Amino acid sequence: MAPDTARQAPTAPAAPTRALLPLILPALLVGVGASLLFLGVSEAAEALQHVLWRNLPDALGVGRYSVLWMLVMLTATGVAVGLVVWKAPGHAGPDPATLGLAAAPMRPGVLPGLLLATALMLAGGPSLGPENPIIAVNVGLAFWLGGRLAPRMPGGLWAALAEAATIGALFGTPVAAALVISEALAGRQLKGLLWDNVFGPLVAAGAGALTTTLVAHPTFDLQLPAFGRPGWGDLLSALVVASLAAVLGMCAVYAFPYVHRAFRRLGHPMPALSLGGLVLGLLGALGGHLTLFKGLDEVAELARDYEGHSASAFVGMAVVKLAALLVAASCGFRGGRIFPAVFVGAAFGLGAHALVPAVHPALGVATGVLGVLLAVTRQGWVSLFTAAVLVSSPEILALLCLASLPAWLLVTGRPQMQLRDDGTPLR
Protein backbone atom coordinates (compact mmCIF):
# COMPACT_ATOMS: atom_id res chain seq x y z
CA MET A 1 0.00 0.00 0.00
CA ALA A 2 1.32 3.46 -0.82
CA PRO A 3 2.23 5.58 2.21
CA ASP A 4 -0.21 8.22 3.30
CA THR A 5 1.73 11.26 2.10
CA ALA A 6 -0.71 13.62 3.79
CA ARG A 7 0.42 12.24 7.17
CA GLN A 8 4.15 12.26 6.48
CA ALA A 9 6.21 14.64 8.60
CA PRO A 10 7.98 17.44 6.74
CA THR A 11 11.65 16.84 5.93
CA ALA A 12 12.64 19.71 8.24
CA PRO A 13 10.81 21.31 11.14
CA ALA A 14 9.06 24.62 10.64
CA ALA A 15 10.80 27.69 11.99
CA PRO A 16 9.37 28.96 15.26
CA THR A 17 7.73 32.36 15.32
CA ARG A 18 10.54 33.80 17.43
CA ALA A 19 12.98 33.01 14.59
CA LEU A 20 10.93 34.90 11.98
CA LEU A 21 9.88 37.98 13.96
CA PRO A 22 13.40 39.49 14.06
CA LEU A 23 13.42 39.52 10.24
CA ILE A 24 10.50 41.92 9.92
CA LEU A 25 12.18 45.22 10.81
CA PRO A 26 15.35 44.66 8.71
CA ALA A 27 13.20 43.50 5.80
CA LEU A 28 10.99 46.58 6.01
CA LEU A 29 14.01 48.89 6.11
CA VAL A 30 15.68 47.18 3.18
CA GLY A 31 12.43 47.20 1.20
CA VAL A 32 11.81 50.91 1.65
CA GLY A 33 15.46 51.79 1.04
CA ALA A 34 15.70 49.67 -2.11
CA SER A 35 12.57 51.26 -3.54
CA LEU A 36 13.70 54.80 -2.77
CA LEU A 37 17.07 54.21 -4.42
CA PHE A 38 15.39 52.78 -7.51
CA LEU A 39 12.96 55.69 -7.67
CA GLY A 40 15.74 58.22 -7.13
CA VAL A 41 17.86 56.84 -9.95
CA SER A 42 14.83 56.62 -12.23
CA GLU A 43 13.81 60.20 -11.46
CA ALA A 44 17.33 61.52 -12.04
CA ALA A 45 17.59 59.62 -15.31
CA GLU A 46 14.21 60.93 -16.51
CA ALA A 47 15.21 64.51 -15.69
CA LEU A 48 18.47 64.11 -17.61
CA GLN A 49 16.62 62.45 -20.49
CA HIS A 50 14.29 65.45 -20.67
CA VAL A 51 17.28 67.77 -20.97
CA LEU A 52 19.13 65.65 -23.51
CA TRP A 53 16.22 64.74 -25.75
CA ARG A 54 13.98 67.83 -25.46
CA ASN A 55 15.59 70.96 -24.06
CA LEU A 56 18.97 70.61 -25.75
CA PRO A 57 17.82 69.78 -29.30
CA ASP A 58 15.10 72.45 -29.08
CA ALA A 59 17.70 75.02 -28.04
CA LEU A 60 19.96 73.98 -30.92
CA GLY A 61 17.14 73.90 -33.45
CA VAL A 62 17.64 70.19 -34.15
CA GLY A 63 14.82 67.67 -34.39
CA ARG A 64 14.44 65.77 -31.13
CA TYR A 65 14.51 62.38 -32.78
CA SER A 66 16.20 63.29 -36.04
CA VAL A 67 18.77 60.88 -37.42
CA LEU A 68 21.54 63.37 -36.61
CA TRP A 69 20.48 63.80 -33.01
CA MET A 70 20.08 60.07 -32.41
CA LEU A 71 23.58 59.43 -33.77
CA VAL A 72 25.06 62.24 -31.68
CA MET A 73 23.27 61.34 -28.46
CA LEU A 74 23.81 57.58 -28.56
CA THR A 75 27.48 57.98 -29.45
CA ALA A 76 27.95 60.62 -26.75
CA THR A 77 26.24 58.30 -24.25
CA GLY A 78 28.69 55.56 -25.18
CA VAL A 79 31.61 57.94 -24.66
CA ALA A 80 30.25 59.14 -21.29
CA VAL A 81 29.56 55.65 -19.98
CA GLY A 82 32.93 54.51 -21.34
CA LEU A 83 34.67 57.20 -19.31
CA VAL A 84 32.85 56.09 -16.16
CA VAL A 85 33.66 52.42 -16.74
CA TRP A 86 37.28 53.29 -17.48
CA LYS A 87 37.95 55.69 -14.61
CA ALA A 88 35.49 54.80 -11.83
CA PRO A 89 36.73 52.60 -8.95
CA GLY A 90 36.07 48.99 -9.79
CA HIS A 91 35.19 49.97 -13.38
CA ALA A 92 31.47 50.23 -12.51
CA GLY A 93 31.24 46.55 -11.69
CA PRO A 94 31.94 43.38 -13.66
CA ASP A 95 31.09 42.82 -17.31
CA PRO A 96 27.27 43.13 -17.43
CA ALA A 97 27.08 40.33 -19.99
CA THR A 98 28.04 37.94 -17.17
CA LEU A 99 25.31 39.11 -14.77
CA GLY A 100 21.71 38.07 -14.25
CA LEU A 101 19.12 39.17 -11.72
CA ALA A 102 20.97 37.48 -8.87
CA ALA A 103 23.98 39.55 -7.80
CA ALA A 104 26.97 38.88 -5.57
CA PRO A 105 27.72 41.77 -3.19
CA MET A 106 30.18 44.30 -4.64
CA ARG A 107 32.58 46.52 -2.72
CA PRO A 108 30.93 49.81 -1.65
CA GLY A 109 33.47 51.83 -3.64
CA VAL A 110 32.25 50.25 -6.88
CA LEU A 111 28.60 51.21 -6.40
CA PRO A 112 28.71 54.98 -7.17
CA GLY A 113 30.29 54.34 -10.56
CA LEU A 114 27.73 51.66 -11.32
CA LEU A 115 24.88 54.01 -10.39
CA LEU A 116 26.30 56.81 -12.55
CA ALA A 117 26.81 54.51 -15.53
CA THR A 118 23.24 53.22 -15.14
CA ALA A 119 21.69 56.69 -14.93
CA LEU A 120 23.62 57.88 -18.00
CA MET A 121 22.54 54.78 -19.91
CA LEU A 122 18.87 55.19 -18.99
CA ALA A 123 18.89 58.86 -20.01
CA GLY A 124 20.92 58.44 -23.17
CA GLY A 125 18.72 55.93 -24.97
CA PRO A 126 20.44 52.48 -25.11
CA SER A 127 18.01 49.57 -25.06
CA LEU A 128 18.53 48.26 -21.55
CA GLY A 129 16.52 48.44 -18.33
CA PRO A 130 17.57 49.32 -14.78
CA GLU A 131 16.92 45.96 -13.14
CA ASN A 132 20.34 44.25 -13.04
CA PRO A 133 22.47 47.21 -11.86
CA ILE A 134 19.86 48.47 -9.37
CA ILE A 135 19.63 45.00 -7.84
CA ALA A 136 23.43 44.86 -7.66
CA VAL A 137 23.67 48.26 -5.96
CA ASN A 138 20.95 47.45 -3.42
CA VAL A 139 22.52 44.07 -2.66
CA GLY A 140 25.91 45.69 -2.15
CA LEU A 141 24.53 48.41 0.11
CA ALA A 142 22.39 46.03 2.17
CA PHE A 143 25.28 43.59 2.59
CA TRP A 144 27.68 46.35 3.65
CA LEU A 145 25.33 48.27 5.97
CA GLY A 146 23.67 45.17 7.38
CA GLY A 147 27.01 43.60 8.21
CA ARG A 148 27.92 46.64 10.28
CA LEU A 149 24.58 47.37 11.94
CA ALA A 150 23.55 43.75 12.59
CA PRO A 151 26.69 41.61 12.28
CA ARG A 152 25.00 38.52 13.75
CA MET A 153 22.64 38.19 10.80
CA PRO A 154 24.09 36.12 7.93
CA GLY A 155 25.33 38.13 4.97
CA GLY A 156 23.38 35.99 2.53
CA LEU A 157 20.14 37.09 4.18
CA TRP A 158 20.87 40.77 3.49
CA ALA A 159 21.50 39.95 -0.16
CA ALA A 160 18.25 37.98 -0.41
CA LEU A 161 16.27 40.80 1.22
CA ALA A 162 17.74 43.42 -1.12
CA GLU A 163 17.18 41.34 -4.24
CA ALA A 164 13.56 40.63 -3.35
CA ALA A 165 12.94 44.24 -2.34
CA THR A 166 14.29 45.59 -5.61
CA ILE A 167 12.26 43.17 -7.73
CA GLY A 168 9.16 44.14 -5.78
CA ALA A 169 9.96 47.81 -6.33
CA LEU A 170 10.64 47.35 -10.05
CA PHE A 171 7.35 45.57 -10.73
CA GLY A 172 5.27 47.34 -8.11
CA THR A 173 4.14 44.04 -6.57
CA PRO A 174 5.77 41.43 -4.31
CA VAL A 175 4.32 38.64 -6.45
CA ALA A 176 7.16 38.99 -8.97
CA ALA A 177 9.73 38.67 -6.19
CA ALA A 178 7.94 35.63 -4.73
CA LEU A 179 8.06 33.92 -8.11
CA VAL A 180 11.75 34.69 -8.63
CA ILE A 181 12.64 33.51 -5.13
CA SER A 182 10.62 30.31 -5.46
CA GLU A 183 12.26 29.55 -8.79
CA ALA A 184 15.72 30.22 -7.33
CA LEU A 185 15.03 27.92 -4.37
CA ALA A 186 13.85 25.05 -6.57
CA GLY A 187 16.19 22.12 -6.27
CA ARG A 188 17.96 23.48 -3.18
CA GLN A 189 18.03 21.65 0.14
CA LEU A 190 15.97 23.98 2.30
CA LYS A 191 16.17 24.24 6.07
CA GLY A 192 12.53 24.36 7.11
CA LEU A 193 9.41 25.02 5.08
CA LEU A 194 9.38 27.05 1.87
CA TRP A 195 7.38 29.89 3.42
CA ASP A 196 9.81 30.07 6.32
CA ASN A 197 12.59 30.65 3.81
CA VAL A 198 10.72 33.30 1.84
CA PHE A 199 9.19 35.08 4.84
CA GLY A 200 11.83 37.80 5.15
CA PRO A 201 12.28 38.37 1.40
CA LEU A 202 8.50 38.66 0.96
CA VAL A 203 8.31 41.29 3.68
CA ALA A 204 11.09 43.20 1.91
CA ALA A 205 9.41 42.78 -1.47
CA GLY A 206 6.09 43.96 -0.09
CA ALA A 207 7.69 47.03 1.49
CA GLY A 208 9.54 47.82 -1.74
CA ALA A 209 6.45 47.36 -3.89
CA LEU A 210 4.22 49.42 -1.58
CA THR A 211 6.76 52.25 -1.44
CA THR A 212 6.97 52.37 -5.22
CA THR A 213 3.20 52.29 -5.52
CA LEU A 214 2.65 55.08 -3.01
CA VAL A 215 5.36 57.33 -4.45
CA ALA A 216 5.24 56.70 -8.20
CA HIS A 217 1.85 55.01 -8.90
CA PRO A 218 3.25 52.66 -11.59
CA THR A 219 1.09 50.55 -13.88
CA PHE A 220 1.96 47.85 -16.38
CA ASP A 221 -1.54 47.45 -17.82
CA LEU A 222 -1.45 48.54 -21.47
CA GLN A 223 -5.22 49.21 -21.58
CA LEU A 224 -5.70 47.02 -24.63
CA PRO A 225 -9.24 45.92 -25.59
CA ALA A 226 -10.75 43.34 -23.24
CA PHE A 227 -10.06 39.80 -24.35
CA GLY A 228 -13.29 38.03 -23.45
CA ARG A 229 -13.98 34.32 -23.59
CA PRO A 230 -11.23 32.25 -25.26
CA GLY A 231 -11.89 29.85 -28.11
CA TRP A 232 -9.98 27.13 -29.94
CA GLY A 233 -8.67 29.66 -32.43
CA ASP A 234 -7.23 31.68 -29.57
CA LEU A 235 -5.41 28.61 -28.29
CA LEU A 236 -3.86 28.06 -31.71
CA SER A 237 -2.87 31.73 -31.90
CA ALA A 238 -1.27 31.60 -28.46
CA LEU A 239 0.75 28.48 -29.26
CA VAL A 240 2.01 29.85 -32.59
CA VAL A 241 2.81 33.41 -31.46
CA ALA A 242 4.61 32.35 -28.27
CA SER A 243 6.67 29.75 -30.15
CA LEU A 244 7.64 32.14 -32.95
CA ALA A 245 8.51 34.84 -30.41
CA ALA A 246 10.73 32.39 -28.55
CA VAL A 247 12.51 31.56 -31.81
CA LEU A 248 13.02 35.27 -32.45
CA GLY A 249 14.47 35.73 -28.96
CA MET A 250 16.79 32.75 -29.42
CA CYS A 251 18.30 34.44 -32.50
CA ALA A 252 19.70 37.12 -30.19
CA VAL A 253 20.73 34.54 -27.60
CA TYR A 254 22.78 32.58 -30.13
CA ALA A 255 24.36 35.77 -31.52
CA PHE A 256 25.17 37.14 -28.05
CA PRO A 257 28.61 35.53 -27.46
CA TYR A 258 29.81 36.43 -30.96
CA VAL A 259 28.77 40.09 -30.72
CA HIS A 260 30.21 40.29 -27.21
CA ARG A 261 33.50 38.79 -28.41
CA ALA A 262 33.70 41.33 -31.23
CA PHE A 263 33.40 44.27 -28.81
CA ARG A 264 35.73 42.61 -26.32
CA ARG A 265 38.48 42.43 -28.96
CA LEU A 266 38.67 46.23 -28.85
CA GLY A 267 40.34 45.73 -25.47
CA HIS A 268 39.15 48.90 -23.75
CA PRO A 269 35.75 50.19 -22.59
CA MET A 270 36.11 53.57 -24.33
CA PRO A 271 36.24 52.32 -27.95
CA ALA A 272 33.83 49.46 -27.19
CA LEU A 273 31.12 51.67 -25.69
CA SER A 274 31.68 54.52 -28.15
CA LEU A 275 31.32 52.14 -31.09
CA GLY A 276 28.36 50.49 -29.40
CA GLY A 277 26.69 53.87 -28.99
CA LEU A 278 27.25 54.68 -32.66
CA VAL A 279 25.72 51.35 -33.72
CA LEU A 280 22.75 51.98 -31.43
CA GLY A 281 22.29 55.40 -33.02
CA LEU A 282 22.20 53.80 -36.46
CA LEU A 283 19.68 51.24 -35.24
CA GLY A 284 17.58 54.03 -33.73
CA ALA A 285 17.63 55.83 -37.06
CA LEU A 286 16.47 52.62 -38.71
CA GLY A 287 13.75 51.68 -36.22
CA GLY A 288 12.58 55.10 -35.07
CA HIS A 289 12.49 56.69 -31.63
CA LEU A 290 10.19 54.02 -30.21
CA THR A 291 13.08 51.55 -30.35
CA LEU A 292 15.18 53.68 -27.98
CA PHE A 293 15.42 53.58 -24.17
CA LYS A 294 14.38 50.77 -21.84
CA GLY A 295 11.07 50.29 -23.63
CA LEU A 296 8.24 50.45 -21.08
CA ASP A 297 6.94 53.91 -22.02
CA GLU A 298 7.39 53.02 -25.66
CA VAL A 299 5.36 49.81 -25.26
CA ALA A 300 2.51 51.87 -23.83
CA GLU A 301 2.73 54.18 -26.86
CA LEU A 302 2.60 51.20 -29.21
CA ALA A 303 -0.46 49.85 -27.41
CA ARG A 304 -2.29 53.18 -27.65
CA ASP A 305 -1.90 53.10 -31.43
CA TYR A 306 -1.97 49.37 -32.06
CA GLU A 307 -4.02 49.86 -35.25
CA GLY A 308 -1.72 52.59 -36.54
CA HIS A 309 1.12 50.43 -37.89
CA SER A 310 1.38 47.63 -40.43
CA ALA A 311 2.54 44.13 -39.60
CA SER A 312 5.89 44.78 -41.28
CA ALA A 313 6.36 47.97 -39.24
CA PHE A 314 5.68 46.16 -35.96
CA VAL A 315 7.97 43.25 -36.81
CA GLY A 316 10.62 45.67 -38.04
CA MET A 317 10.56 47.50 -34.71
CA ALA A 318 10.76 44.19 -32.87
CA VAL A 319 13.82 43.12 -34.86
CA VAL A 320 15.56 46.49 -34.50
CA LYS A 321 14.86 46.59 -30.76
CA LEU A 322 16.20 43.06 -30.36
CA ALA A 323 19.35 44.02 -32.27
CA ALA A 324 19.70 47.12 -30.08
CA LEU A 325 19.31 45.00 -26.95
CA LEU A 326 21.97 42.62 -28.28
CA VAL A 327 24.45 45.43 -29.00
CA ALA A 328 23.81 47.33 -25.75
CA ALA A 329 24.21 44.19 -23.64
CA SER A 330 27.36 43.16 -25.52
CA CYS A 331 29.39 46.37 -25.66
CA GLY A 332 29.38 47.13 -21.94
CA PHE A 333 26.42 49.36 -21.10
CA ARG A 334 25.24 48.69 -17.54
CA GLY A 335 21.64 47.52 -17.63
CA GLY A 336 19.19 44.63 -17.66
CA ARG A 337 17.51 42.77 -20.48
CA ILE A 338 13.94 42.24 -19.23
CA PHE A 339 12.27 45.56 -20.09
CA PRO A 340 13.59 45.89 -23.68
CA ALA A 341 12.65 42.24 -24.24
CA VAL A 342 9.09 43.19 -23.23
CA PHE A 343 9.05 45.76 -26.05
CA VAL A 344 10.31 43.16 -28.53
CA GLY A 345 7.59 40.70 -27.55
CA ALA A 346 4.83 43.31 -27.54
CA ALA A 347 5.79 44.66 -30.97
CA PHE A 348 5.98 41.12 -32.33
CA GLY A 349 2.56 40.25 -30.88
CA LEU A 350 0.97 43.40 -32.31
CA GLY A 351 2.55 42.51 -35.64
CA ALA A 352 0.82 39.13 -35.44
CA HIS A 353 -2.50 40.91 -34.85
CA ALA A 354 -1.88 43.28 -37.76
CA LEU A 355 -1.07 40.34 -40.03
CA VAL A 356 -3.91 38.10 -38.81
CA PRO A 357 -6.70 40.24 -37.29
CA ALA A 358 -8.20 37.11 -35.71
CA VAL A 359 -5.28 37.23 -33.26
CA HIS A 360 -6.63 39.41 -30.45
CA PRO A 361 -4.19 42.29 -29.70
CA ALA A 362 -4.08 41.50 -25.98
CA LEU A 363 -3.40 37.84 -26.68
CA GLY A 364 -0.76 38.73 -29.26
CA VAL A 365 1.06 41.03 -26.83
CA ALA A 366 0.90 38.61 -23.90
CA THR A 367 2.10 35.58 -25.84
CA GLY A 368 4.73 37.56 -27.74
CA VAL A 369 6.18 38.88 -24.48
CA LEU A 370 6.00 35.41 -22.96
CA GLY A 371 8.00 33.83 -25.78
CA VAL A 372 10.72 36.46 -25.95
CA LEU A 373 11.16 36.59 -22.17
CA LEU A 374 11.43 32.81 -21.94
CA ALA A 375 14.25 32.94 -24.48
CA VAL A 376 16.06 35.93 -22.97
CA THR A 377 15.64 35.30 -19.22
CA ARG A 378 14.98 31.53 -19.03
CA GLN A 379 12.74 32.27 -16.04
CA GLY A 380 9.31 30.77 -16.56
CA TRP A 381 7.41 32.35 -13.67
CA VAL A 382 8.68 35.87 -14.34
CA SER A 383 7.86 35.48 -18.03
CA LEU A 384 4.31 34.33 -17.28
CA PHE A 385 3.77 37.01 -14.67
CA THR A 386 5.05 39.86 -16.87
CA ALA A 387 2.98 38.72 -19.84
CA ALA A 388 -0.14 38.51 -17.68
CA VAL A 389 0.15 41.90 -15.98
CA LEU A 390 0.52 43.73 -19.30
CA VAL A 391 -3.02 42.82 -20.35
CA SER A 392 -4.77 42.33 -16.96
CA SER A 393 -7.07 39.65 -18.36
CA PRO A 394 -7.71 36.55 -16.23
CA GLU A 395 -9.14 34.78 -19.28
CA ILE A 396 -5.70 34.79 -20.93
CA LEU A 397 -3.93 33.04 -18.05
CA ALA A 398 -4.86 29.50 -19.11
CA LEU A 399 -3.78 30.23 -22.68
CA LEU A 400 -0.48 31.64 -21.45
CA CYS A 401 0.23 28.55 -19.37
CA LEU A 402 -0.42 26.31 -22.35
CA ALA A 403 1.54 28.53 -24.74
CA SER A 404 4.54 28.48 -22.42
CA LEU A 405 4.96 24.74 -22.90
CA PRO A 406 6.02 24.60 -26.58
CA ALA A 407 7.97 27.84 -26.14
CA TRP A 408 9.83 26.31 -23.20
CA LEU A 409 10.65 23.21 -25.24
CA LEU A 410 12.26 25.49 -27.81
CA VAL A 411 14.52 27.27 -25.31
CA THR A 412 15.32 24.86 -22.48
CA GLY A 413 18.75 23.25 -22.51
CA ARG A 414 20.05 25.81 -25.00
CA PRO A 415 22.45 28.72 -24.43
CA GLN A 416 21.27 31.59 -22.25
CA MET A 417 21.68 35.33 -22.80
CA GLN A 418 24.27 35.41 -20.03
CA LEU A 419 27.95 34.60 -20.34
CA ARG A 420 30.58 33.13 -18.09
CA ASP A 421 33.71 35.12 -17.33
CA ASP A 422 35.50 33.41 -20.23
CA GLY A 423 32.80 34.54 -22.67
CA THR A 424 31.10 31.18 -23.13
CA PRO A 425 27.28 31.11 -22.72
CA LEU A 426 25.53 29.59 -19.74
CA ARG A 427 23.16 26.72 -20.37
Side-chain angles (χ1 to χ4, degrees):
M1 181 180 293
D4 185 355
T5 56
R7 295 182 180 179
Q8 287 182 351
T11 56
T17 301
R18 64 178 180 275
L20 299 179
L21 285 176
L23 300 177
I24 295 178
L25 181 58
L28 290 174
L29 293 174
V30 171
V32 173
S35 175
L36 291 177
L37 186 140
F38 161 62
L39 292 173
V41 172
S42 300
E43 187 67 25
E46 287 179 10
L48 181 58
Q49 178 183 330
H50 188 89
V51 172
L52 296 178
W53 290 93
R54 294 187 181 183
N55 296 351
L56 191 55
D58 289 351
L60 296 174
V62 181
R64 292 178 179 178
Y65 295 108
S66 64
V67 171
L68 173 62
W69 195 248
M70 284 192 279
L71 289 173
V72 168
M73 281 310 308
L74 269 299
T75 305
T77 300
V79 172
V81 175
L83 281 170
V84 174
V85 173
W86 178 23
K87 294 296 186 180
H91 304 291
D95 184 350
T98 65
L99 301 178
L101 287 179
M106 299 181 189
R107 293 184 292 106
V110 178
L111 305 182
L114 178 56
L115 276 177
L116 179 58
T118 303
L120 290 172
M121 180 279 299
L122 291 171
S127 294
L128 291 173
E131 60 274 16
N132 289 16
I134 296 298
I135 288 174
V137 170
N138 279 329
V139 166
L141 286 174
F143 183 85
W144 180 68
L145 290 172
R148 279 150 181 79
L149 298 177
R152 294 185 178 181
M153 292 183 65
L157 176 62
W158 291 110
L161 294 178
E163 183 176 337
T166 311
I167 294 173
L170 285 163
F171 288 93
T173 170
V175 175
L179 295 174
V180 171
I181 296 166
S182 299
E183 197 162 7
L185 291 176
R188 295 186 186 180
Q189 187 67 36
L190 301 180
K191 295 181 179 180
L193 301 179
L194 173 63
W195 281 96
D196 291 337
N197 286 270
V198 302
F199 180 84
L202 276 183
V203 174
L210 185 58
T211 302
T212 298
T213 300
L214 293 174
V215 174
H217 312 291
T219 179
F220 286 85
D221 186 4
L222 297 179
Q223 302 295 323
L224 289 165
F227 176 65
R229 185 176 181 178
W232 292 110
D234 296 315
L235 174 59
L236 177 61
S237 299
L239 297 173
V240 172
V241 174
S243 298
L244 292 177
V247 171
L248 176 64
M250 287 304 299
C251 293
V253 172
Y254 276 109
F256 190 40
Y258 300 100
V259 179
H260 178 264
R261 193 176 304 134
F263 281 107
R264 201 172 188 179
R265 284 175 180 166
L266 296 176
H268 195 279
M270 279 297 294
L273 281 156
S274 300
L275 178 60
L278 175 61
V279 174
L280 291 173
L282 294 171
L283 287 170
L286 179 63
H289 73 278
L290 289 178
T291 60
L292 301 178
F293 305 105
K294 64 183 179 183
L296 282 185
D297 292 338
E298 291 71 25
V299 165
E301 189 171 340
L302 277 184
R304 285 194 296 268
D305 189 29
Y306 70 92
E307 298 286 6
H309 300 278
S310 65
S312 60
F314 277 124
V315 175
M317 284 189 281
V319 171
V320 169
K321 185 69 171 182
L322 188 63
L325 165 60
L326 175 61
V327 171
S330 300
C331 70
F333 282 108
R334 272 49 182 169
R337 300 177 275 276
I338 290 179
F339 292 139
V342 168
F343 180 97
V344 175
F348 184 83
L350 290 174
H353 164 72
L355 182 65
V356 183
V359 177
H360 193 280
L363 182 63
V365 166
T367 51
V369 168
L370 172 67
V372 174
L373 281 180
L374 284 173
V376 170
T377 70
R378 216 56 56 86
Q379 292 184 320
W381 286 123
V382 171
S383 302
L384 277 168
F385 169 79
T386 306
V389 298
L390 289 173
V391 296
S392 296
S393 176
E395 294 82 5
I396 287 182
L397 283 175
L399 296 176
L400 286 176
C401 291
L402 292 173
S404 69
L405 302 179
W408 183 254
L409 291 176
L410 290 168
V411 304
T412 186
R414 291 174 170 80
Q416 299 183 35
M417 201 170 186
Q418 184 179 342
L419 304 178
R420 299 184 178 89
D421 291 336
D422 61 0
T424 59
L426 292 174
R427 286 183 177 270

